Amino acid sequence: MKRSRTDLETTSNRNDVDAFLAQVAAVPKRAPSGSRGRLIFSMDATASREPSWDQAASLQAAMFQETNDLGGLDVQLVHYRGFQELHASPWCSHADQLLPRMTAVRCAAGITQIGRVLDHAIAETERKRVNALVFVGDCVEEPLDGLAGRAGQLGLLGVPAFVFQEGRDPTAERALKELARLSGGAWCPFDASSPGTLKDLLSAVAVYAAGGRKALADFGRRRGGDVLRLTQQLRGSK
């Protein structure tokens, strides 16, 4: 029986999510510190991302909600835009602290500054442990060699980068997959027309940052449905 294009796209998206969560489960479990998890949430705010910026702002609240029972999560928003603009917020412990900062941002044309994001993450974790870096973007306009060195340094510091690529630009895909791999993190594409998938994936990373792989499995049991199916698949991963 011939499968429709929609069926094929759905299967492809599900395989991408399966692969991403398998990589999350394989990230070495962080040592319990007795303190709140710390996650840097970085985003490309150049002009091409403007249509999906507000959507991402509304999704980040889920990261806090899913980690309350794990001792909580502190999140720092980092974004770049325009000509050499890179901004980092204070560390926020609640969604109502972070959301106004995200909704106040206006996208501006410019080239990517992923290297500066990685440098910032390195500097932050050298001051105080950062458990994970999230990056959301759609293109890479910097030499890969320089980015790769920084991503490898994050890996040595134990800060996995979880990279969410909007769209499937092949040049960006190759570079972003390599950044995730070298840092010990994971890469996954997302479609702005399916916000529920990105919400679940962001929540999964937040839960990992706050409580490790066991917490990720518990999250799957609570959420049920596809998330439960995927996290059950991952429990045996090493």
Side-chain angles (χ1 to χ4, degrees):
M1 178 177 171
K2 187 175 180 180
R3 302 175 67 187
S4 70
R5 179 177 177 180
T6 299
D7 288 340
L8 292 173
E9 289 177 348
T10 298
T11 299
S12 176
N13 291 339
R14 182 170 296 169
N15 289 340
D16 287 331
V17 173
D18 284 355
F20 175 82
L21 286 175
Q23 292 174 79
V24 175
V27 172
K29 185 175 180 179
R30 68 182 182 88
S33 63
S35 60
R36 297 167 63 88
R38 283 171 31 107
L39 182 150
I40 294 175
F41 185 63
S42 60
M43 298 185 69
D44 179 332
T46 54
S48 63
R49 301 272 351 282
E50 188 168 12
S52 56
W53 180 270
D54 288 342
Q55 180 187 88
S58 66
L59 296 181
Q60 55 78 29
M63 296 190 300
F64 292 98
Q65 294 167 355
E66 297 296 346
T67 61
N68 286 338
D69 294 337
L70 301 172
L73 184 72
D74 291 333
V75 177
Q76 182 185 59
L77 172 65
V78 175
H79 70 277
Y80 58 79
R81 64 176 197 164
F83 179 72
Q84 292 295 302
E85 287 187 56
L86 181 77
H87 303 278
S89 76
W91 287 91
C92 301
S93 57
H94 300 285
D96 57 5
Q97 295 173 329
L98 190 63
L99 185 58
R101 298 180 184 279
M102 291 192 72
T103 54
V105 173
R106 293 294 174 265
C107 296
I111 64 171
T112 63
Q113 300 178 58
I114 301 170
R116 294 183 69 193
V117 170
L118 301 179
D119 285 339
H120 174 81
I122 291 167
E124 282 290 328
T125 203
E126 287 176 341
R127 282 191 285 268
K128 185 178 179 181
R129 172 73 171 149
V130 173
N131 302 112
L133 166 69
V134 166
F135 175 74
V136 183
D138 63 350
C139 62
V140 178
E141 298 165 314
E142 302 155 72
L144 179 55
D145 287 348
L147 298 180
R150 294 173 173 96
Q153 191 172 349
L154 279 178
L156 293 174
L157 291 169
V159 184
F162 297 100
V163 180
F164 299 95
Q165 180 183 345
E166 182 177 3
R168 296 301 290 263
D169 176 81
T171 300
E173 182 170 329
R174 182 175 72 89
L176 294 175
K177 281 182 174 179
E178 188 68 357
L179 298 186
R181 183 186 69 81
L182 290 170
S183 71
W187 166 93
C188 190
F190 74 95
D191 183 343
S193 66
S194 303
T197 298
L198 181 59
K199 178 181 178 181
D200 285 342
L201 293 175
L202 286 173
S203 296
V205 173
V207 166
Y208 165 78
R213 283 180 295 189
K214 181 180 183 299
L216 179 63
D218 292 340
F219 165 76
R221 286 192 292 271
R222 291 196 315 273
R223 182 59 60 90
D226 286 343
V227 176
L228 175 61
R229 176 182 62 81
L230 295 171
T231 54
Q232 282 177 334
Q233 173 187 323
L234 303 179
R235 281 195 299 217
S237 299
K238 295 182 181 180

